Amino acid sequence: MARYSAGTVDCPGSPKSVRIVVVGDKGTGKSSLIVAAATDSFPPNVPPVLPDTKLPFEFFPDGIPVTIVDTSSRVEDRDKVAEELKHADAVVLTYACDRPETLEGLSTYWLPELRRLEVKVPIIVAGCKLDFRDDNNQVSLEQVMSPIMQQFREIETCIECSALKQLQAQEVFYYAQKTVLHPTGPLFDQESQALKPRCVRALKRIFILCDHDRDGALSEAELNDFQVKCFHAPLQPSEIEGVKRVVQEKLPEGVNERGLTVTGFLFLHALFIEKGRLETTWTVLRKFGYNNDIRLADELLPSSLFKRAPDQSVELTSVAIEFLKGMYMLFDDDEDNNLRPQEIEDLFSTAPESPWKEAPYEDAAEKTALGGLSFDAFLSLWSLMTLLEPARSVEHLIYIGFPGDPSSAIRLTRRRRLDRKKQQCERKVFQCFLFGPSNAGKSALLNCFLGRSYAGNHGSAATDERYAVNMVEESGSAKKTLVMREIPEDGVKGLFSSKESLAACDIAVFVYDSSDESSWKRATELLVEVATHGEATGYEVPCLMVSAKDDLDSFPISIQESTRVTQDMGLEPPVSISSKLGDFNNLFRKILTAAQHPHLSIPETEAGKSRKHYNRLINRSLMAVSIGAAAVVVGLAAYRVYAARKSASA
């Protein structure tokens, strides 16, 4: 199918340069190998350590610049060598073919040392000075290296060479460069002899993007378009027939009357890799924007797209929401407004992995009776991911087929400080920080918010943060998304270690057990802490108190005391609820309403009131001084006019 086209440097996912670091014992021929590869000649006198050597730009067919870094073998230079290894794209590890102790040193020192330094790049083992090997002691390279490669799987390949005889010196660095540009590891599992799952998912996405008529097969025209996009050359009819014949012989279901199926497409790439033609599959992946981790390249998701002030958030646009609505309908096969777990897996089958199988998304949305997601819950999860990880959200929109420019999928909200000044909010997704002491009823509240049993164990451990997201109806028919973030009691101190910790908060809710006086006191302390932090940093937030467990007997004078405190701080009286009885007193709508009015329900501490009072006095004094000064100026001006008139009349 593919005639490999040189020059992948212009592809978004392709490395723009390759840095190869050469290490090994003293006298193994590191410097001579580098000079021989770069100059095509053997150097009679070589310095102990060469300066960085740049190979000619056209040295290898990919046209990607290669820099070779020589290193010292002296013990006192090991820190410097370690620093070089941190910036390596590949490592060439040398031994001398005529000195068995240097070969032994690979497994006793060098390879364990590379592991200790956490060098995660491909390693090429190069046996230098092949011309010096004793002819009477001939041993195959496979015999020598097989046990070492079994122990150290990070070794990509081994090669023996001679700088003096110009034997395979350049090939050492060709293989090193190839392991960077076309690595086997991300694509293929050597033990199972199969494509790795992430590679399969990427190739499946590429197949779907190229299947323009969505009939589940690549026709001759679609195969040609694919070939031109990836390799800049069309396929001849005889070549297309040849491809189909190869697939059909090995895998009958790989071809049907409409063309090459996704099974056949995957089979072809497995075949290329088995035959050592990794560059073919990598060229395809890079043309569709994938990097070496088989994720979308950074260039396709520039960080500038997500740059925002601390009190701005990111939301999906109507364009993205319409796209998601279409995808939901496409994968909800039985149209029952219930996207089952397997259907969700199918939706994300073209992404590197399903993003909702881990915290905080795994258990953050309301589930249907069948364990699936309604459209509201589906959209809520996308809104949560967009709020917390906008780059990841856009990335996964692209993986599942979003056709537009990434910038059209998201919008930055107006700064919350500006919302307060304008006394109105345009947001559609609101984040609530849920504070309260242990056993106050926070987790029960979140369970009920998601339509679950109040006593159910659906969340994380009590020491972990937990998110819950759902749609909340406003007074009309409109809905907004509410994200509830539970802050563990022992996590409050850590939260306030950052000046901007409240910047992402639209409203803070404080829950206490109405039957426990100590719970009320601790909730009040937390309220004062949040109010104080907000006053000190300028990120004040609306606050609401919640009196939970209303089905239990309240502690004495709880209602009067709680009302007095909230009134003193300028807040509404606590909202009484009972998760056990399912009585929430319209709590979630009240939270949403308070969040939509960022200039109201801002608590004031005594220190804040004193500071505000002091500022008013200062402002009044300054105003009085200004008025006095203005009166003096007016008086002087009047006197001058009077004096001028008197002089004229005289």
Side-chain angles (χ1 to χ4, degrees), residues 103-144:
L103 176 60
E104 190 178 324
L106 300 185
S107 50
T108 58
Y109 173 73
W110 282 107
L111 289 162
E113 176 68 2
L114 291 173
R115 280 186 178 177
R116 187 186 71 80
L117 294 171
E118 298 184 351
V119 176
K120 306 285 188 185
V121 299
I123 297 169
I124 307 296
V125 172
C128 301
K129 303 187 179 182
L130 181 60
D131 51 292
F132 282 100
R133 175 179 283 165
D134 183 359
D135 292 339
N136 297 321
N137 188 25
Q138 290 288 351
V139 184
S140 75
L141 182 61
E142 187 177 349
Q143 282 178 292
V144 170

Tab-separated table of all heavy atoms in Angstrom, residues 103-144:
chain	number	residue	atom	x	y	z
A	103	LEU	N	32.514	-5.713	27.713
A	103	LEU	CA	31.204	-6.302	27.430
A	103	LEU	C	30.503	-6.657	28.743
A	103	LEU	O	29.311	-6.397	28.934
A	103	LEU	CB	31.372	-7.547	26.556
A	103	LEU	CG	30.099	-8.346	26.245
A	103	LEU	CD1	29.078	-7.503	25.513
A	103	LEU	CD2	30.437	-9.593	25.450
A	104	GLU	N	31.273	-7.223	29.670
A	104	GLU	CA	30.727	-7.572	30.982
A	104	GLU	C	30.255	-6.318	31.729
A	104	GLU	O	29.265	-6.335	32.456
A	104	GLU	CB	31.799	-8.299	31.801
A	104	GLU	CG	31.285	-8.919	33.080
A	104	GLU	CD	32.391	-9.661	33.824
A	104	GLU	OE1	33.246	-10.274	33.164
A	104	GLU	OE2	32.397	-9.590	35.064
A	105	GLY	N	30.986	-5.204	31.512
A	105	GLY	CA	30.639	-3.943	32.178
A	105	GLY	C	29.282	-3.391	31.775
A	105	GLY	O	28.685	-2.586	32.511
A	106	LEU	N	28.756	-3.840	30.625
A	106	LEU	CA	27.425	-3.378	30.211
A	106	LEU	C	26.368	-3.784	31.235
A	106	LEU	O	25.530	-2.982	31.649
A	106	LEU	CB	27.049	-3.950	28.839
A	106	LEU	CG	27.940	-3.606	27.643
A	106	LEU	CD1	27.330	-4.171	26.371
A	106	LEU	CD2	28.149	-2.108	27.507
A	107	SER	N	26.398	-5.072	31.628
A	107	SER	CA	25.363	-5.577	32.536
A	107	SER	C	25.703	-5.377	34.008
A	107	SER	O	24.809	-5.386	34.851
A	107	SER	CB	25.083	-7.057	32.259
A	107	SER	OG	26.284	-7.788	32.225
A	108	THR	N	26.998	-5.185	34.319
A	108	THR	CA	27.356	-4.987	35.731
A	108	THR	C	27.331	-3.520	36.137
A	108	THR	O	27.124	-3.208	37.305
A	108	THR	CB	28.760	-5.557	36.026
A	108	THR	OG1	29.712	-4.913	35.165
A	108	THR	CG2	28.789	-7.064	35.829
A	109	TYR	N	27.550	-2.594	35.167
A	109	TYR	CA	27.544	-1.172	35.547
A	109	TYR	C	26.643	-0.319	34.667
A	109	TYR	O	25.701	0.311	35.151
A	109	TYR	CB	28.962	-0.587	35.515
A	109	TYR	CG	28.941	0.914	35.738
A	109	TYR	CD1	28.670	1.436	37.005
A	109	TYR	CD2	29.123	1.814	34.677
A	109	TYR	CE1	28.599	2.809	37.220
A	109	TYR	CE2	29.050	3.190	34.881
A	109	TYR	CZ	28.797	3.679	36.145
A	109	TYR	OH	28.711	5.031	36.362
A	110	TRP	N	26.895	-0.290	33.361
A	110	TRP	CA	26.271	0.727	32.517
A	110	TRP	C	24.746	0.615	32.439
A	110	TRP	O	24.026	1.602	32.647
A	110	TRP	CB	26.875	0.702	31.105
A	110	TRP	CG	28.206	1.377	31.056
A	110	TRP	CD1	29.431	0.790	30.925
A	110	TRP	CD2	28.444	2.774	31.184
A	110	TRP	NE1	30.429	1.729	30.967
A	110	TRP	CE2	29.851	2.970	31.116
A	110	TRP	CE3	27.630	3.888	31.345
A	110	TRP	CZ2	30.438	4.228	31.193
A	110	TRP	CZ3	28.211	5.142	31.428
A	110	TRP	CH2	29.603	5.307	31.352
A	111	LEU	N	24.242	-0.578	32.146
A	111	LEU	CA	22.787	-0.717	32.007
A	111	LEU	C	22.055	-0.504	33.339
A	111	LEU	O	21.038	0.207	33.379
A	111	LEU	CB	22.439	-2.073	31.380
A	111	LEU	CG	22.815	-2.155	29.886
A	111	LEU	CD1	22.878	-3.599	29.414
A	111	LEU	CD2	21.827	-1.355	29.038
A	112	PRO	N	22.557	-1.052	34.461
A	112	PRO	CA	21.930	-0.704	35.751
A	112	PRO	C	22.024	0.789	36.068
A	112	PRO	O	21.089	1.364	36.646
A	112	PRO	CB	22.735	-1.530	36.772
A	112	PRO	CG	23.291	-2.666	35.994
A	112	PRO	CD	23.568	-2.116	34.633
A	113	GLU	N	23.133	1.431	35.676
A	113	GLU	CA	23.294	2.862	35.931
A	113	GLU	C	22.281	3.675	35.127
A	113	GLU	O	21.694	4.641	35.631
A	113	GLU	CB	24.723	3.288	35.573
A	113	GLU	CG	25.006	4.782	35.710
A	113	GLU	CD	24.983	5.298	37.146
A	113	GLU	OE1	24.783	4.489	38.078
A	113	GLU	OE2	25.165	6.515	37.328
A	114	LEU	N	22.041	3.282	33.889
A	114	LEU	CA	21.044	3.976	33.070
A	114	LEU	C	19.641	3.825	33.676
A	114	LEU	O	18.836	4.753	33.650
A	114	LEU	CB	21.059	3.443	31.633
A	114	LEU	CG	22.316	3.783	30.811
A	114	LEU	CD1	22.291	3.066	29.467
A	114	LEU	CD2	22.454	5.280	30.609
A	115	ARG	N	19.391	2.671	34.250
A	115	ARG	CA	18.103	2.481	34.941
A	115	ARG	C	18.027	3.353	36.187
A	115	ARG	O	16.986	3.946	36.479
A	115	ARG	CB	17.924	1.007	35.326
A	115	ARG	CG	17.463	0.120	34.194
A	115	ARG	CD	17.175	-1.292	34.679
A	115	ARG	NE	16.684	-2.129	33.585
A	115	ARG	CZ	16.413	-3.428	33.708
A	115	ARG	NH1	16.595	-4.029	34.892
A	115	ARG	NH2	15.969	-4.125	32.683
A	116	ARG	N	19.113	3.405	36.928
A	116	ARG	CA	19.138	4.219	38.147
A	116	ARG	C	18.885	5.687	37.824
A	116	ARG	O	18.186	6.391	38.555
A	116	ARG	CB	20.489	4.062	38.855
A	116	ARG	CG	20.557	4.749	40.224
A	116	ARG	CD	21.951	4.697	40.810
A	116	ARG	NE	22.877	5.560	40.099
A	116	ARG	CZ	22.974	6.885	40.281
A	116	ARG	NH1	22.179	7.507	41.136
A	116	ARG	NH2	23.854	7.600	39.597
A	117	LEU	N	19.432	6.145	36.701
A	117	LEU	CA	19.258	7.536	36.275
A	117	LEU	C	17.897	7.761	35.591
A	117	LEU	O	17.588	8.875	35.177
A	117	LEU	CB	20.379	7.942	35.313
A	117	LEU	CG	21.793	7.988	35.912
A	117	LEU	CD1	22.832	8.175	34.813
A	117	LEU	CD2	21.905	9.107	36.948
A	118	GLU	N	17.124	6.677	35.470
A	118	GLU	CA	15.791	6.730	34.844
A	118	GLU	C	15.856	7.267	33.415
A	118	GLU	O	15.057	8.114	33.003
A	118	GLU	CB	14.818	7.560	35.697
A	118	GLU	CG	14.592	6.958	37.078
A	118	GLU	CD	13.560	7.716	37.892
A	118	GLU	OE1	13.141	8.809	37.457
A	118	GLU	OE2	13.178	7.220	38.952
A	119	VAL	N	16.849	6.752	32.674
A	119	VAL	CA	16.971	7.092	31.249
A	119	VAL	C	15.955	6.244	30.496
A	119	VAL	O	16.077	5.017	30.437
A	119	VAL	CB	18.408	6.824	30.743
A	119	VAL	CG1	18.498	7.081	29.248
A	119	VAL	CG2	19.399	7.698	31.505
A	120	LYS	N	14.920	6.891	29.936
A	120	LYS	CA	13.793	6.178	29.327
A	120	LYS	C	13.830	6.206	27.805
A	120	LYS	O	12.795	6.169	27.157
A	120	LYS	CB	12.471	6.793	29.798
A	120	LYS	CG	12.298	6.886	31.305
A	120	LYS	CD	11.992	5.563	31.931
A	120	LYS	CE	11.620	5.705	33.401
A	120	LYS	NZ	11.439	4.403	34.056
A	121	VAL	N	15.019	6.325	27.237
A	121	VAL	CA	15.127	6.431	25.776
A	121	VAL	C	15.708	5.134	25.216
A	121	VAL	O	16.293	4.335	25.953
A	121	VAL	CB	15.996	7.650	25.376
A	121	VAL	CG1	15.364	8.930	25.871
A	121	VAL	CG2	17.415	7.510	25.900
A	122	PRO	N	15.572	4.901	23.894
A	122	PRO	CA	16.115	3.680	23.292
A	122	PRO	C	17.633	3.589	23.459
A	122	PRO	O	18.335	4.597	23.443
A	122	PRO	CB	15.742	3.815	21.815
A	122	PRO	CG	14.657	4.829	21.762
A	122	PRO	CD	14.886	5.744	22.903
A	123	ILE	N	18.114	2.365	23.614
A	123	ILE	CA	19.557	2.121	23.771
A	123	ILE	C	20.033	1.226	22.635
A	123	ILE	O	19.455	0.160	22.372
A	123	ILE	CB	19.852	1.456	25.131
A	123	ILE	CG1	19.444	2.395	26.278
A	123	ILE	CG2	21.326	1.071	25.253
A	123	ILE	CD1	19.449	1.741	27.645
A	124	ILE	N	21.086	1.676	21.968
A	124	ILE	CA	21.753	0.883	20.931
A	124	ILE	C	23.092	0.434	21.500
A	124	ILE	O	23.905	1.269	21.921
A	124	ILE	CB	22.008	1.717	19.650
A	124	ILE	CG1	20.717	2.378	19.157
A	124	ILE	CG2	22.652	0.863	18.562
A	124	ILE	CD1	19.650	1.435	18.730
A	125	VAL	N	23.340	-0.860	21.533
A	125	VAL	CA	24.633	-1.378	21.994
A	125	VAL	C	25.532	-1.546	20.771
A	125	VAL	O	25.158	-2.223	19.807
A	125	VAL	CB	24.470	-2.707	22.750
A	125	VAL	CG1	25.838	-3.312	23.053
A	125	VAL	CG2	23.703	-2.483	24.052
A	126	ALA	N	26.703	-0.898	20.811
A	126	ALA	CA	27.641	-0.940	19.678
A	126	ALA	C	28.953	-1.591	20.111
A	126	ALA	O	29.632	-1.089	21.007
A	126	ALA	CB	27.896	0.472	19.157
A	127	GLY	N	29.288	-2.709	19.476
A	127	GLY	CA	30.579	-3.358	19.716
A	127	GLY	C	31.611	-2.759	18.769
A	127	GLY	O	31.575	-3.011	17.558
A	128	CYS	N	32.528	-1.950	19.300
A	128	CYS	CA	33.533	-1.270	18.468
A	128	CYS	C	34.803	-2.123	18.344
A	128	CYS	O	34.968	-3.130	19.027
A	128	CYS	CB	33.877	0.090	19.086
A	128	CYS	SG	32.454	1.184	19.245
A	129	LYS	N	35.697	-1.673	17.442
A	129	LYS	CA	36.995	-2.337	17.221
A	129	LYS	C	36.817	-3.792	16.793
A	129	LYS	O	37.525	-4.690	17.257
A	129	LYS	CB	37.859	-2.253	18.480
A	129	LYS	CG	38.107	-0.821	18.965
A	129	LYS	CD	39.087	-0.778	20.104
A	129	LYS	CE	39.342	0.661	20.541
A	129	LYS	NZ	40.342	0.773	21.623
A	130	LEU	N	35.849	-4.014	15.897
A	130	LEU	CA	35.597	-5.361	15.391
A	130	LEU	C	36.837	-5.936	14.718
A	130	LEU	O	37.083	-7.148	14.761
A	130	LEU	CB	34.419	-5.315	14.401
A	130	LEU	CG	33.974	-6.632	13.778
A	130	LEU	CD1	33.540	-7.628	14.856
A	130	LEU	CD2	32.831	-6.406	12.795
A	131	ASP	N	37.628	-5.063	14.130
A	131	ASP	CA	38.835	-5.516	13.423
A	131	ASP	C	39.897	-6.060	14.374
A	131	ASP	O	40.837	-6.738	13.953
A	131	ASP	CB	39.423	-4.364	12.595
A	131	ASP	CG	39.595	-3.098	13.419
A	131	ASP	OD1	38.549	-2.515	13.817
A	131	ASP	OD2	40.731	-2.693	13.670
A	132	PHE	N	39.790	-5.771	15.675
A	132	PHE	CA	40.771	-6.253	16.657
A	132	PHE	C	40.372	-7.578	17.300
A	132	PHE	O	41.127	-8.121	18.103
A	132	PHE	CB	40.963	-5.212	17.778
A	132	PHE	CG	41.842	-4.065	17.382
A	132	PHE	CD1	41.293	-2.853	16.992
A	132	PHE	CD2	43.225	-4.194	17.380
A	132	PHE	CE1	42.094	-1.791	16.619
A	132	PHE	CE2	44.037	-3.141	17.010
A	132	PHE	CZ	43.480	-1.923	16.622
A	133	ARG	N	39.193	-8.083	16.965
A	133	ARG	CA	38.742	-9.317	17.622
A	133	ARG	C	39.642	-10.483	17.215
A	133	ARG	O	40.041	-10.611	16.059
A	133	ARG	CB	37.295	-9.616	17.256
A	133	ARG	CG	36.807	-10.961	17.805
A	133	ARG	CD	35.372	-11.242	17.461
A	133	ARG	NE	34.469	-10.487	18.307
A	133	ARG	CZ	33.188	-10.314	18.050
A	133	ARG	NH1	32.673	-10.805	16.943
A	133	ARG	NH2	32.433	-9.626	18.865
A	134	ASP	N	39.887	-11.354	18.167
A	134	ASP	CA	40.721	-12.542	17.939
A	134	ASP	C	39.974	-13.514	17.030
A	134	ASP	O	38.883	-13.976	17.360
A	134	ASP	CB	41.018	-13.203	19.299
A	134	ASP	CG	41.948	-14.404	19.156
A	134	ASP	OD1	42.333	-14.727	18.026
A	134	ASP	OD2	42.275	-15.015	20.196
A	135	ASP	N	40.577	-13.794	15.852
A	135	ASP	CA	39.929	-14.690	14.886
A	135	ASP	C	39.730	-16.098	15.437
A	135	ASP	O	38.872	-16.850	14.967
A	135	ASP	CB	40.753	-14.772	13.592
A	135	ASP	CG	40.725	-13.454	12.836
A	135	ASP	OD1	39.788	-12.661	13.074
A	135	ASP	OD2	41.640	-13.204	12.025
A	136	ASN	N	40.546	-16.468	16.420
A	136	ASN	CA	40.444	-17.814	16.987
A	136	ASN	C	39.317	-17.923	18.032
A	136	ASN	O	39.058	-18.991	18.558
A	136	ASN	CB	41.772	-18.212	17.654
A	136	ASN	CG	42.907	-18.271	16.634
A	136	ASN	OD1	42.702	-18.721	15.509
A	136	ASN	ND2	44.092	-17.813	17.037
A	137	ASN	N	38.708	-16.784	18.352
A	137	ASN	CA	37.654	-16.790	19.372
A	137	ASN	C	36.386	-16.155	18.809
A	137	ASN	O	35.862	-15.195	19.348
A	137	ASN	CB	38.151	-16.036	20.618
A	137	ASN	CG	37.186	-16.174	21.780
A	137	ASN	OD1	36.423	-17.129	21.850
A	137	ASN	ND2	37.222	-15.210	22.691
A	138	GLN	N	35.932	-16.691	17.681
A	138	GLN	CA	34.755	-16.138	17.008
A	138	GLN	C	33.472	-16.561	17.730
A	138	GLN	O	33.222	-17.745	17.937
A	138	GLN	CB	34.699	-16.619	15.552
A	138	GLN	CG	35.787	-16.024	14.669
A	138	GLN	CD	35.528	-14.556	14.370
A	138	GLN	OE1	34.483	-14.023	14.670
A	138	GLN	NE2	36.517	-13.896	13.773
A	139	VAL	N	32.677	-15.565	18.135
A	139	VAL	CA	31.389	-15.817	18.789
A	139	VAL	C	30.350	-14.942	18.094
A	139	VAL	O	30.611	-13.767	17.806
A	139	VAL	CB	31.449	-15.455	20.292
A	139	VAL	CG1	30.124	-15.819	20.975
A	139	VAL	CG2	32.589	-16.184	20.977
A	140	SER	N	29.170	-15.500	17.826
A	140	SER	CA	28.146	-14.707	17.139
A	140	SER	C	27.608	-13.627	18.074
A	140	SER	O	27.551	-13.814	19.299
A	140	SER	CB	27.005	-15.610	16.664
A	140	SER	OG	26.202	-15.997	17.749
A	141	LEU	N	27.201	-12.497	17.467
A	141	LEU	CA	26.654	-11.384	18.239
A	141	LEU	C	25.403	-11.815	18.996
A	141	LEU	O	25.179	-11.416	20.139
A	141	LEU	CB	26.332	-10.213	17.298
A	141	LEU	CG	25.797	-8.938	17.950
A	141	LEU	CD1	26.803	-8.353	18.930
A	141	LEU	CD2	25.440	-7.909	16.881
A	142	GLU	N	24.607	-12.688	18.372
A	142	GLU	CA	23.382	-13.160	19.009
A	142	GLU	C	23.692	-13.945	20.285
A	142	GLU	O	23.035	-13.769	21.316
A	142	GLU	CB	22.597	-14.036	18.032
A	142	GLU	CG	21.224	-14.421	18.557
A	142	GLU	CD	20.422	-15.230	17.539
A	142	GLU	OE1	20.839	-15.313	16.368
A	142	GLU	OE2	19.383	-15.774	17.939
A	143	GLN	N	24.726	-14.799	20.224
A	143	GLN	CA	25.117	-15.568	21.401
A	143	GLN	C	25.556	-14.657	22.544
A	143	GLN	O	25.226	-14.874	23.706
A	143	GLN	CB	26.285	-16.509	21.052
A	143	GLN	CG	25.886	-17.758	20.302
A	143	GLN	CD	27.115	-18.588	19.972
A	143	GLN	OE1	27.953	-18.189	19.164
A	143	GLN	NE2	27.228	-19.737	20.617
A	144	VAL	N	26.302	-13.605	22.179
A	144	VAL	CA	26.847	-12.696	23.187
A	144	VAL	C	25.743	-11.854	23.816
A	144	VAL	O	25.690	-11.684	25.042
A	144	VAL	CB	27.923	-11.781	22.548
A	144	VAL	CG1	28.326	-10.675	23.514
A	144	VAL	CG2	29.133	-12.595	22.141
